[in-house]
Amino acid sequence: MVTDIAADIAEGRTALGIELGSTRIKAVLIGPDHGSLAVGSHDWENQFVDRMWTYSLEAVWAGLQDCYAALAADVRQRYGVELTTVGALGVSAMMHGYLAFDAGDELLTPFRTWRNTNTGPATERLSAEFGHNIPHRWSVAHLYQAILNGEEHVGRLAHLTTLAGYVHWQLTGEKVLGVGDASGMFPIDAGTGGYDATMLARFDRLAAEAGAELTLAELLPAVKTAGEPAGELTEAGAKLLDPSGRLRPGTPLCPPEGDAGTGMVATNSVAPRTGNVSAGTSIFAMVVLEQPLSRVHRELDLVTTPAGDLVAMVHCNNGASELNAWVGLFAEFAKALGADADSSKIFETVFTAALDGAPDCAGLMAYNYLSGEPITDLQEGRPLFVRSPDSRFDLATFFRTHLFAALATLRIGMDVLQKNEGVGLDRMFAHGGLFKTKGVAQRFLAAAIDTPVSVGDVAAEGGAWGIAVLAAFLRDREPGQQLAGYLGDRVFADVALTTETPAAADVAGFAEFIRRYVAALPVEQAAVAHV
């Protein structure tokens, strides 16, 4: 009943999760049963400034405040109460990237996001020195590249963090990070749960060889695992989030996490032999491992769950943005015709049509690369659509091609994991905007990775809900209780899922598409070189 929920809100029997995604900042308030009570959001976009993808810190706080105000208004409208406190709070954001501050807590260089791929020399050197794949977007790659470039700010560096870590620090005063997000800053030692000490020492020597005297361990945030306390909302932090002054300080915060970790929580994919795919501006798969990989693969990142278990991550910089652009073009055409159709209806129409497209896309080819794509060795991207003169060119096959293209780079990385390493999966969950039209992208993903794929309404709010659950875990955790057990017993026990099993024709069709996709990569490379 509304009165019961209002009492839960007023008395703080809630948890609030806030996630700063690539295109939207979202807040979700959940109740004692982990169900969503209210939501708020704020749309934003990155900027390409001086050939770097970035967001300003002013945009971060304007977006957070607008998002929180929308959440508070939703609470007020639904339940007739003011939101003045929550039982626990968590912050999540895009993983990795580079936020560097001096001793006076001043930002030294504009935020360098995960999307930047200018760190090639750094990743090659660090990967070779560490015997551990260091992706382009990792914080340590950005730092070492800055050192190699002789950037002046390195000498004044006092603190390095991620976007989630930065927001958490401003809200609590604590310079900490959840282990999942921390594992995208620097490699984690599975035995200690902290940064790998041997690699830290090696990095300091490499930095010194390049003329930078620093101790990396002193620059990185402290590492926390799920369920550990990570500070409380300060009076200044409460005013930052809610300038109206209604939000009271004192709320405990869970460790801040990256969007990959919250995606694992939102799909109950934190136990070995489980995995999830998150599809939005980027697309990535997370597979929890039973044992370490046999060797280093540049296509696979080794990170951790929020509980610290080893995860193989296939991260693709490019996801659904190009597909969205094509849908936007069709929406504009529909409007010009005078058709009264909103974008969600057009998405549903073209996605559903794709089910009738040619299984192998019949000679059509697309690349969704707005930015560089490390898995396919591209420093920059050029969205591309090409077809042979005798190809089948109809609406269904056209959009099937773009849906396949959104999954193609992921398939390349998953082949390394499944075929080269023989990693087994009992279940794969999917979430994100790509899967909103039921049974379409889910079916194509099942074909791409030849694995059953499940979706569930519980993950509809995505990572914001996932970090709210991590905040609830902090509040509710019993002594010795593990995150996987909490999710299985308390959160997902009664969740209904729909599962798509790979269809033989779809699997064969995607296999033929990916063969042509890889063969035609030189066309995309030529587009980068000449367009």
Side-chain angles (χ1 to χ4, degrees), residues 189-244:
D189 182 340
T192 66
Y195 303 112
D196 188 292
T198 300
M199 294 184 195
L200 283 171
R202 183 58 184 146
F203 181 88
D204 292 349
R205 290 195 294 271
L206 288 172
E209 291 170 8
E213 296 294 333
L214 54 79
T215 303
L216 183 56
E218 297 176 356
L219 306 180
L220 295 172
V223 180
K224 298 274 189 177
T225 57
E228 289 190 274
E232 294 185 351
L233 184 66
T234 64
E235 184 173 349
K239 289 180 179 178
L240 260 180
L241 194 56
D242 180 20
S244 76

Side-chain angles (χ1 to χ4, degrees), residues 326 361-362 364 385 387-398:
W326 280 105
C361 298
L364 306 189
F385 171 73
R387 66 188 181 98
S388 58
D390 60 347
S391 59
R392 173 177 162 180
F393 192 42
D394 55 43
L395 182 72
T397 304
F398 179 81

Side-chain angles (χ1 to χ4, degrees), residues 328-339:
L329 185 67
F330 277 70
E332 186 179 347
F333 176 67
K335 184 177 180 181
L337 287 177

Side-chain angles (χ1 to χ4, degrees), residues 125 173 184 224 248 274 295 391 415 425 428 432 446 454 473 510:
R125 181 69 185 277
K224 298 274 189 177
R248 299 197 298 266
T274 65
R295 62 184 182 88
S391 59
D415 275 351
L425 270 169
M428 181 67 87
S454 299
F473 179 53
F510 204 102

Side-chain angles (χ1 to χ4, degrees), residues 23-24 56 105-106 163 213 235 243 279 311 350 354 361 372 398 483:
T23 60
R24 177 174 291 184
S56 70
D105 296 337
E106 293 296 320
L163 182 56
E213 296 294 333
E235 184 173 349
V311 172
V350 299
C361 298
F398 179 81
L483 179 61

Side-chain angles (χ1 to χ4, degrees), residues 8-377:
D8 286 337
I9 293 171
E11 296 169 21
R13 292 188 291 272
T14 56
L16 173 61
I18 303 174
E19 181 159 281
L20 296 94
S22 301
T23 60
R24 177 174 291 184
I25 303 173
K26 190 166 188 178
V28 176
L29 186 71
I30 65 173
D33 65 350
H34 306 94
S36 175
L37 302 179
V39 297
S41 68
H42 171 85
D43 292 337
W44 70 339
E45 280 288 350
N46 53 195
Q47 294 83 46
F48 195 52
V49 180
D50 297 329
R51 302 195 67 78
M52 287 283 188
W53 293 104
T54 188
Y55 301 82
S56 70
L57 296 190
E58 291 79 10
V60 169
W61 290 109
L64 281 168
Q65 290 167 3
D66 186 54
C67 176
Y68 181 84
L71 174 83
D74 194 31
V75 168
R76 191 180 309 116
Q77 180 180 1
R78 291 193 192 196
Y79 310 109
V81 296
E82 290 292 344
L83 186 60
T84 61
T85 187
V86 294
L89 197 159
V91 176
S92 174
M94 299 168 279
M95 287 183 72
H96 319 125
Y98 186 76
L99 275 162
F101 296 87
D102 65 14
D105 296 337
E106 293 296 320
L107 186 67
L108 291 169
T109 185
F111 172 34
R112 297 173 183 178
T113 79
W114 58 269
R115 201 170 193 176
N116 292 292
T117 55
N118 63 307
T119 55
T123 62
E124 291 180 15
R125 181 69 185 277
L126 292 175
S127 296
E129 291 285 347
F130 292 169
H132 187 106
N133 184 38
I134 304 297
H136 287 71
R137 66 191 179 281
W138 278 24
S139 305
V140 68
H142 283 283
L143 173 58
Y144 191 52
Q145 192 65 51
I147 292 171
L148 294 178
N149 293 344
E151 295 188 37
E152 178 273 338
H153 80 266
V154 172
R156 297 185 285 125
L157 181 61
H159 175 52
L160 184 63
T161 191
T162 66
L163 182 56
Y166 163 72
V167 173
H168 182 96
W169 165 36
Q170 297 303 301
L171 296 181
T172 66
E174 300 289 337
K175 296 177 180 178
V176 302
L177 204 58
V179 64
D181 205 5
S183 67
M185 295 194 76
F186 195 86
I188 296 292
D189 182 340
T192 66
Y195 303 112
D196 188 292
T198 300
M199 294 184 195
L200 283 171
R202 183 58 184 146
F203 181 88
D204 292 349
R205 290 195 294 271
L206 288 172
E209 291 170 8
E213 296 294 333
L214 54 79
T215 303
L216 183 56
E218 297 176 356
L219 306 180
L220 295 172
V223 180
K224 298 274 189 177
T225 57
E228 289 190 274
E232 294 185 351
L233 184 66
T234 64
E235 184 173 349
K239 289 180 179 178
L240 260 180
L241 194 56
D242 180 20
S244 76
R246 295 186 183 92
L247 181 62
R248 299 197 298 266
T251 297
L253 272 78
C254 67
E257 269 296 350
D259 52 1
T262 57
M264 285 187 279
V265 172
T267 53
N268 193 20
S269 304
V270 300
R273 296 182 64 87
T274 65
N276 81 94
V277 169
S278 175
T281 303
S282 64
I283 184 169
F284 54 83
M286 310 286 288
V287 177
V288 187
L289 302 176
E290 295 177 280
Q291 57 191 19
L293 300 178
S294 65
R295 62 184 182 88
V296 176
H297 299 275
R298 66 173 182 80
E299 300 89 349
L300 305 176
D301 311 348
L302 289 178
V303 292
T304 77
T305 70
D309 294 309
L310 191 63
V311 172
M313 181 180 192
V314 179
H315 186 282
C316 312
N317 277 8
N318 298 278
S321 295
E322 178 64 0
L323 177 63
N324 293 346
W326 280 105
V327 173
L329 185 67
F330 277 70
E332 186 179 347
F333 176 67
K335 184 177 180 181
L337 287 177
D340 184 17
D342 61 20
S343 60
S344 61
K345 179 63 176 177
I346 293 172
F347 268 105
E348 182 181 354
T349 300
V350 299
F351 272 44
T352 302
L355 295 172
D356 296 322
D360 64 352
C361 298
L364 306 189
M365 183 53 60
Y367 294 91
N368 63 332
Y369 296 168
L370 275 79
S371 66
E373 192 57 78
I375 286 180
T376 48
D377 288 326

